[in-house]
Each structure stands twice: as C-alpha cells, then as structure tokens.
Amino acid sequence: MKKMLATICVATAALVSCTTSQKATSLDSLGGEWNIIKVDGKEIKASDGQEMPFIGFNINEKQVYGYTGCNRLTGALNADPNSGKIDFGNTGSTRMMCHDMETENLVLGAIGKVKTYKVDKSGKLTLCDESGKAVFEMQKKK
C-alpha cells in the first residue's frame, strides 16, 4: 500500500511540475495576459471591486507586466522556448497601500522564484521554481 501511495504521489508531482526535458513551448503561446489562479498552491481571487491579478508577457518588447492585486508590476522578460527557462530580471512595482495586501505579498514574494515555464494542452501556464515546483498557475485572459 505504501508503495502504491508513493507511486501516485510521484506521478501527480510529475503532472504539475515544470521540467526542462519537456517539449519546448513557443514564445508566441506565452504572449498576452494571464490571470493568476494560484500562487505557491494558494488559490487567488480578486478583491472586492478589483480586477483579477495577472501577469502579461510582451514577447516583442521582451517585457513582463501585470497587476499584483494592488499595484502594477513591470520588468524584463528573458525566456528560452528550447529549454523552458524564464527569468524576469529586476522587477519593479508601484507602491500603493491597499486594504488587502495578502495577494500582493504572495505575488511579489513568488515572482523571484520563477525559473521555468510550460503551457499545457488545456492552455494553462505554469511558472515553476528551480526544483520544478509550481509557483504560479495561470489561465489566459479572455
């Protein structure tokens, strides 16, 4: 029973992680704006009256931008579709104080952990840390 449980855990981790041995994801599929659904496994929801936190990728300008739940985010985008590696360089954000800073702090605390990415067949974008653990789970804005 323990062996079967361990096998299930390993298989599940493989399904949700990012690895550099995966088939490359084109940069075009990364472009655009993505709603943040989860950060470090915690589900994200928009605050009352606010838009959903998101990260956007401008492939042509090699820039990342977004909304963290309170403030605007901007930075450089360096992504390699052959290896699945991604780096945002130095990011900056506006510095407003908002009523609910929990999502803001989660997003800003996690952004520096991102090292790889993948877009799966269902269209979900996952940004992972160097060990392959999902940091951000995102869905393309419609």
Side-chain angles (χ1 to χ4, degrees):
M1 185 66 165
K2 286 182 182 179
K3 214 176 209 185
M4 187 167 72
L5 183 58
T7 302
I8 291 170
C9 289
V10 170
T12 302
L15 288 173
V16 297
S17 68
C18 297
T19 63
T20 56
S21 63
Q22 299 172 29
K23 184 180 174 186
T25 301
S26 102
L27 288 181
D28 289 337
S29 67
L30 186 64
E33 295 181 347
W34 299 80
N35 285 325
I36 300 170
I37 306 302
K38 290 184 181 179
V39 177
D40 286 330
K42 182 173 175 142
E43 195 169 324
I44 300 299
K45 295 184 177 161
S47 297
D48 291 336
Q50 300 293 319
E51 68 181 302
M52 188 73 176
F54 73 90
I55 297 177
F57 301 97
N58 183 326
I59 303 304
N60 294 332
E61 300 291 325
K62 296 185 178 179
Q63 292 188 341
V64 63
Y65 61 95
Y67 173 68
T68 60
C70 177
N71 288 288
R72 299 289 170 184
L73 171 76
T74 187
L77 172 63
N78 186 9
D80 179 4
N82 296 318
S83 67
K85 293 189 179 194
I86 191 168
D87 182 74
F88 301 134
N90 292 325
T91 57
S93 71
T94 56
R95 308 219 1 126
M96 296 183 296
M97 188 64 152
C98 297
H99 176 68
D100 179 10
M101 295 294 288
E102 182 179 358
T103 299
E104 169 90 2
N105 292 333
L106 278 171
V107 171
L108 292 177
I111 200 89
K113 297 179 194 176
V114 174
K115 301 296 179 198
T116 61
Y117 74 97
K118 74 171 184 170
V119 179
D120 69 17
K121 291 178 184 178
S122 72
K124 183 176 83 173
L125 171 62
T126 306
L127 303 177
C128 297
D129 65 15
E130 63 189 348
S131 71
K133 180 182 173 213
V135 177
F136 288 95
E137 293 178 43
M138 302 190 294
Q139 194 68 45
K140 189 87 164 204
K141 277 186 161 188
K142 297 183 185 212

